[in-house]
Amino acid sequence: IHFYKSEMVGSLMCSFAFLSTVTLTAPRPHIIIIVIDDLGWNDVPWNNPESVAKRLGSYAEEGIILDRHYVHPKCSPSRAALLTGRYAWTMGRQRGAIERFQPTGLSTEYSLLPEYLQAGGYSTHIVGKW
């Protein structure tokens, strides 16, 4: 079989076009983030086989377990850090929880995780606390 230079280039260009189409149309993975307050190290099945959270364990087996993400002692600073990707103290959110009717929250100067996901073509949805 003899290949001419123009046939090789044409063949490579067709292959590249096909691969780039496959790459661009490949489905994005689903992202589900579950935040659970007051969860202890031994409360999850991947650290304790006797845990009663079996369904949580099956979700984790199919995904990624972030076992090096440490949180603040209160929920609001932890949520602020997760949503912004910043340390809570850099935003003034390091102390306590944001209570009902409290006139405070995250500054609108920060982009949040859902905004980054939407910019990447994801649809976002939240259930539960802010």
Side-chain angles (χ1 to χ4, degrees), residues 96-108:
I98 298 174
E99 301 294 337
R100 288 187 324 174
F101 311 118
Q102 194 173 2
T104 185
L106 287 176
S107 171
T108 56

Side-chain angles (χ1 to χ4, degrees), residues 41 46-47 65-70:
W41 180 262
W46 52 91
N47 293 331
I65 299 171
L66 300 176
D67 61 355
R68 302 271 189 304
H69 179 77
Y70 301 101

Side-chain angles (χ1 to χ4, degrees), residues 45-66:
W46 52 91
N47 293 331
N48 176 10
E50 296 177 16
S51 169
V52 296
K54 300 299 180 198
R55 177 63 68 189
L56 189 60
S58 65
Y59 292 145
E61 286 174 5
E62 297 175 21
I64 298 172
I65 299 171
L66 300 176

Side-chain angles (χ1 to χ4, degrees), residues 81-92:
L82 175 68
L83 288 172
T84 62
R86 300 171 177 269
Y87 292 111
W89 61 268
T90 66
M91 302 173 287

Side-chain angles (χ1 to χ4, degrees), residues 12-66:
L12 286 173
M13 288 177 65
C14 287
S15 297
F16 178 72
F18 173 74
L19 289 175
S20 65
T21 303
V22 170
T23 302
L24 293 176
T25 60
R28 292 179 185 92
H30 295 287
I31 300 172
I32 300 172
I33 299 174
I34 301 172
V35 178
I36 305 171
D37 290 335
D38 304 320
L39 184 68
W41 180 262
N42 219 22
D43 293 335
V44 291
W46 52 91
N47 293 331
N48 176 10
E50 296 177 16
S51 169
V52 296
K54 300 299 180 198
R55 177 63 68 189
L56 189 60
S58 65
Y59 292 145
E61 286 174 5
E62 297 175 21
I64 298 172
I65 299 171
L66 300 176

